[in-house]
Amino acid sequence: ADLPGIPRQYATGFNSNDRGYLIAGVFGDGTFSNEVFEYEPSENKWSQLQNAPFPERAKAAGFRIGDFYFFGSGRNDSVYFNDFYRFEMNTGIWTQMDSLPFSPRCEMVGISALGLGYLLLGQNDSNTFSQVWKYDIVEDSWSKSGDFPGDARTFVSAVSESQGAIVAGGFSETGELVSQAYYFDVWSDAWIQLDNAPLTTRGMEGFCLNNQIYFVGG
């Protein structure tokens, strides 16, 4: 079923065990959204939930831990954000958390594994970042991890699996498409360089299914 709302791009999507969600984005006329949609696959049906309690935006990032999705960063036509929110999928309740511990930025990516969440990379109007930040849900605290070892970049594709994530492709700060690919091992807090992706592509989407990681589009 088509999304019932206005067509948009640069929204943020994620899944629970049995539902899909889409948040925010920018419409074709350049205005921004804080709408929240939920997809029920068994009925092939979208439902619009209550709007999120944050300013409209696009190009935000987040990660899922258990029954919670954590959402932050992004931008609209004049503001970069570093606010941070928790969405409880079972109740639809949003809770505002302490702000992110770094400067406002957009086009970050989020990954999660072993009960930890990460936000990394991104840009603002003057810098492109290689930073990696780790969130501990038990301590409700952030700490800085080692920087991403590849080129600083945006429009990266990142897919989490049980113990880490693959980060590939993107758009470098010098305006070049990149094909570098890395695996992040959460156990060792280490980045492992992989063979380059077969295409120099930005903006791919991806998912993990039966321990296999897939990338599409771009």
Side-chain angles (χ1 to χ4, degrees), residues 20-110:
Y21 295 88
L22 187 137
I23 305 169
V26 58
F27 303 130
D29 64 359
T31 59
F32 292 79
S33 170
N34 63 350
E35 294 173 331
V36 182
F37 293 89
E38 180 183 73
Y39 179 69
E40 171 53 66
S42 65
E43 300 179 7
N44 187 26
K45 178 183 177 182
W46 287 95
S47 300
Q48 185 168 359
L49 306 182
Q50 183 175 354
N51 286 359
F54 48 71
E56 294 87 351
R57 70 191 64 190
K59 301 181 181 180
F63 49 82
R64 176 191 163 196
I65 301 177
D67 293 327
F68 297 102
Y69 185 74
F70 295 88
F71 175 99
S73 72
R75 66 166 300 179
N76 59 29
D77 58 354
S78 59
V79 179
Y80 290 86
F81 296 101
N82 70 339
D83 49 0
F84 187 54
Y85 297 83
R86 184 185 70 198
F87 176 68
E88 186 173 359
M89 289 174 276
N90 293 330
T91 65
I93 294 174
W94 288 90
T95 302
Q96 185 167 6
M97 314 289 281
D98 291 338
S99 295
L100 296 168
F102 46 80
S103 60
R105 60 197 65 175
C106 69
E107 295 167 10
M108 304 185 77
V109 290

Side-chain angles (χ1 to χ4, degrees), residues 3 6 9 19 23 28 37 49 55 59 61 68 83 92 94 96-97 124 145 152 171 181 189 192 207:
L3 185 76
I6 301 170
Q9 63 177 345
R19 288 161 290 171
I23 305 169
F37 293 89
L49 306 182
K59 301 181 181 180
F68 297 102
D83 49 0
W94 288 90
Q96 185 167 6
M97 314 289 281
N124 57 25
S145 296
F171 199 54
D189 197 36
I192 302 165
F207 55 89

Side-chain angles (χ1 to χ4, degrees), residues 42-195:
S42 65
E43 300 179 7
N44 187 26
K45 178 183 177 182
W46 287 95
S47 300
Q48 185 168 359
L49 306 182
Q50 183 175 354
N51 286 359
F54 48 71
E56 294 87 351
R57 70 191 64 190
K59 301 181 181 180
F63 49 82
R64 176 191 163 196
I65 301 177
D67 293 327
F68 297 102
Y69 185 74
F70 295 88
F71 175 99
S73 72
R75 66 166 300 179
N76 59 29
D77 58 354
S78 59
V79 179
Y80 290 86
F81 296 101
N82 70 339
D83 49 0
F84 187 54
Y85 297 83
R86 184 185 70 198
F87 176 68
E88 186 173 359
M89 289 174 276
N90 293 330
T91 65
I93 294 174
W94 288 90
T95 302
Q96 185 167 6
M97 314 289 281
D98 291 338
S99 295
L100 296 168
F102 46 80
S103 60
R105 60 197 65 175
C106 69
E107 295 167 10
M108 304 185 77
V109 290
I111 58 178
S112 62
L114 302 176
L116 297 169
Y118 297 81
L119 290 176
L120 55 150
L121 305 174
Q123 69 173 5
N124 57 25
D125 57 1
S126 57
N127 293 294
T128 302
F129 299 96
S130 296
Q131 295 174 345
V132 180
W133 293 85
K134 178 171 66 177
Y135 178 70
D136 185 323
I137 189 173
V138 175
E139 300 292 334
D140 185 24
S141 64
W142 288 92
S143 59
K144 192 174 182 302
S145 296
D147 286 351
F148 180 73
D151 294 336
R153 61 188 76 180
T154 57
F155 293 106
V156 169
S157 305
V159 179
S160 301
E161 50 90 44
S162 60
Q163 299 184 45
I166 287 181
V167 175
F171 199 54
S172 76
E173 59 187 330
T174 59
E176 301 290 331
L177 291 172
V178 294
S179 58
Q180 296 169 340
Y182 293 84
Y183 178 77
F184 182 60
D185 187 326
V186 172
W187 279 115
S188 60
D189 197 36
W191 290 94
I192 302 165
Q193 187 165 8
L194 308 175
D195 291 340

